[in-house]
Amino acid sequence: MSLKLHGVSLSPFVRKVRMVLAIKKLDYEFVMAIPKRLPEHYEKLNPLGRIPALEHNDLVLADSAVICHYLEQVFPDKPLIPSDPFLKARCEWFEKFADYELAQHMTFGLFRNRIARILRDESPVQAEIDAVDIALPPLLDYLEQQLDGHCFLIGDTLTLADLALLSQCINFGYGGGSIDHERYPLLFEWQQRIQQQSFYQSLIDEDKPLLEMALSKANDAGYKA
């Protein structure tokens, strides 16, 4: 078995895949692939030029959701997607909710402007940052309701849905955002609960050098990060 994951650690989509690999205790090679600075051969892995991409022996897959669902099928030990049809669909719904709805604000609104653009020596777009404060609260209100009476998004078992949401929350935090523990007590407790999982800290530690670089550059440029 040979697994090779292409991406960069700060990407929430790459991180989601890495969480799955860590929980399933799968060995893999991590190959740096930075958006807008991708190697020439990368279009063979993903013609859209997005990360992550996965090589499994001679097979190639792109898109974090596709990759995670493939890993679940091929390596079923330590399952992260429910077998019950309804719960499986709920898991897929929350993953999509995180990857598309939350990512638009947590990652592309806040993180991209306060971290990613700084690392690329680009100026943040303040209007995109300001829009997060308006668009994000209703989405978090919804998640707070869904966690009522549950430890995780799908009952009391950690699933891929939680990993997708957690990865967006991590980038939100990197961008200076936080989950208000008074307005969203269940969501706040959920995040604290998952951060105690064994897979969490080692992945976070890998992000520190790039984050420190971004904060230093932002400070030098007079930006808030």
Side-chain angles (χ1 to χ4, degrees), residues 36-181:
K36 297 189 177 183
R37 300 178 187 175
L38 295 169
E40 293 182 2
H41 71 277
Y42 193 81
E43 71 276 2
K44 296 180 180 179
L45 303 177
N46 184 345
L48 299 178
R50 298 172 185 165
I51 57 174
L54 179 77
E55 294 182 81
H56 182 202
N57 298 324
D58 296 328
L59 305 176
V60 176
L61 289 170
D63 184 87
S64 66
V66 170
I67 292 170
C68 288
H69 286 253
Y70 171 78
L71 292 172
E72 180 75 2
Q73 291 293 316
V74 177
F75 306 102
D77 288 350
K78 302 183 184 299
L80 290 166
I81 298 176
S83 58
D84 177 85
F86 175 73
L87 296 181
K88 179 177 182 292
R90 288 275 289 172
C91 184
E92 292 169 349
W93 155 246
F94 282 121
E95 183 184 14
K96 183 176 181 180
F97 186 85
D99 287 355
Y100 288 86
E101 306 306 322
L102 293 178
Q104 181 180 350
H105 309 295
M106 288 183 156
T107 293
F108 300 119
L110 199 62
F111 171 83
R112 180 170 63 181
N113 281 289
R114 288 186 170 168
I115 300 296
R117 280 185 166 142
I118 300 300
L119 287 171
R120 296 196 297 261
D121 296 316
E122 300 173 0
S123 299
V125 179
Q126 189 61 43
E128 294 180 1
I129 297 174
D130 293 341
V132 174
D133 291 335
I134 299 173
L136 188 59
L139 303 181
L140 299 184
D141 286 337
Y142 167 74
L143 292 172
E144 180 74 9
Q145 296 168 5
Q146 299 304 302
L147 284 166
D148 189 17
H150 305 293
C151 292
F152 299 102
L153 287 172
I154 311 295
D156 296 324
T157 302
L158 180 74
T159 68
L160 181 58
D162 298 291
L163 303 184
L165 174 55
L166 176 64
S167 203
Q168 295 298 330
C169 289
I170 290 171
N171 278 53
F172 183 55
Y174 287 167
S178 62
I179 303 298
D180 187 336
H181 69 278

